[in-house]
Amino acid sequence: MNNLCESYNFALEFRQNHTLMKLLIKNMVCPRCIAAVKEVLSSEGLAVKSISLGDAEVEGDLSNDQCRSVAEKLQGMGFELLDGPRSQLVERIRIAVQQWVRMEKERPKMSDYLSRLLNKDYSTLSKLFSEVRGVTIERFAIVHRIEYAKELLCYSQLATSEIAYTLGYSSPAHLSSQFKQVTGMTPKEFRAMGQHDRVSLDAL
């Protein structure tokens, strides 16, 4: 934990703008996570200026004691305060891919979207993600896409063709093929199961 706190002083990519400090936090996946993280930061006497999935901006600098306490409290709730630029960037890639998968409007090409959003060449992002996560960005996107398809199959009345369109697949057949590769069954078979095997977002 000491190394974690010391790294915040010189290695972490805290974006300081005047008195603002950005903290990158892993495993935030829903509005309840935002509320929980905000409560932790506020309990340390930190003024939270903004907070969203994956990051929070607070006023001023964290002392070593605050840093240690925040990290421990977040860890106890299943979150992780990221401790280096590589880990931070990988988490930003992960969140960006999830956002791309769930876009409601027409999706741009994923590589172009990530490069623009993160201001880095896609080959650099892809190499780093594979090194740290042990899986390619493309494979991660497929798995997350299928988890989103499972969600729609479980909780909506959309037909498979409508789900394929929602997820940006070229055809229902393409969705069904990829769905079966990942799950071992077709979307129709999955929906008919009744009890559904799904993976939480923070486990992806």
Side-chain angles (χ1 to χ4, degrees):
M1 190 65 68
N2 286 336
N3 290 337
L4 173 65
C5 294
E6 289 171 2
S7 69
Y8 290 156
N9 294 327
F10 54 88
L12 267 180
E13 287 187 331
F14 281 148
R15 299 291 188 261
Q16 295 192 42
N17 179 14
H18 302 295
T19 61
L20 294 184
M21 175 179 287
K22 175 174 275 193
L23 312 177
L24 269 73
I25 303 163
K26 186 177 180 181
N27 295 338
M28 295 176 67
V29 297
C30 66
R32 289 192 300 273
C33 296
I34 292 176
V37 168
K38 186 174 183 179
E39 183 176 345
V40 167
L41 297 176
S42 297
S43 73
E44 293 296 322
L46 299 171
V48 180
K49 301 304 293 183
S50 66
I51 185 167
S52 59
L53 295 180
D55 62 66
E57 281 192 330
V58 299
E59 286 189 352
D61 297 327
L62 274 72
S63 67
N64 282 345
D65 286 344
Q66 282 178 313
C67 166
R68 185 179 301 107
S69 181
V70 167
E72 289 175 348
K73 288 180 179 179
L74 290 175
Q75 187 175 27
M77 302 175 75
F79 305 116
E80 180 183 348
L81 195 58
L82 297 179
D83 63 350
R86 281 168 58 89
S87 296
Q88 290 185 11
L89 182 53
V90 167
E91 179 66 2
R92 291 174 66 195
I93 294 170
R94 187 184 73 86
I95 292 172
V97 171
Q98 291 178 343
Q99 291 171 340
W100 177 82
V101 166
R102 290 172 178 266
M103 281 182 175
E104 295 183 357
K105 298 181 179 180
E106 185 176 349
R107 291 171 183 79
K109 187 176 179 182
M110 184 176 68
S111 57
D112 293 340
Y113 174 75
L114 294 179
S115 294
R116 286 197 303 269
L117 184 67
L118 302 175
N119 197 29
K120 290 187 181 294
D121 183 77
Y122 181 72
S123 62
T124 300
L125 298 173
S126 180
K127 181 179 179 181
L128 174 64
F129 194 86
S130 296
E131 288 176 353
V132 174
R133 294 291 300 247
V135 65
T136 64
I137 292 178
E138 289 79 9
R139 180 62 183 175
F140 175 77
I142 288 171
V143 171
H144 187 69
R145 223 172 179 185
I146 296 305
E147 285 304 316
Y148 188 23
K150 288 181 183 180
E151 180 181 318
L152 295 175
L153 287 166
C154 290
Y155 303 117
S156 80
Q157 299 299 315
L158 295 176
T160 301
S161 58
E162 294 173 300
I163 292 174
Y165 174 77
T166 298
L167 291 171
Y169 281 95
S170 58
S171 67
H174 186 196
L175 167 61
S176 294
S177 174
Q178 206 166 78
F179 195 96
K180 189 165 186 176
Q181 287 177 4
V182 173
T183 68
M185 64 186 77
T186 65
K188 183 178 180 180
E189 290 169 340
F190 178 84
R191 178 170 262 171
M193 280 176 56
Q195 293 184 345
H196 299 297
D197 179 22
R198 295 186 55 219
V199 179
S200 63
L201 292 183
D202 58 345
L204 290 176

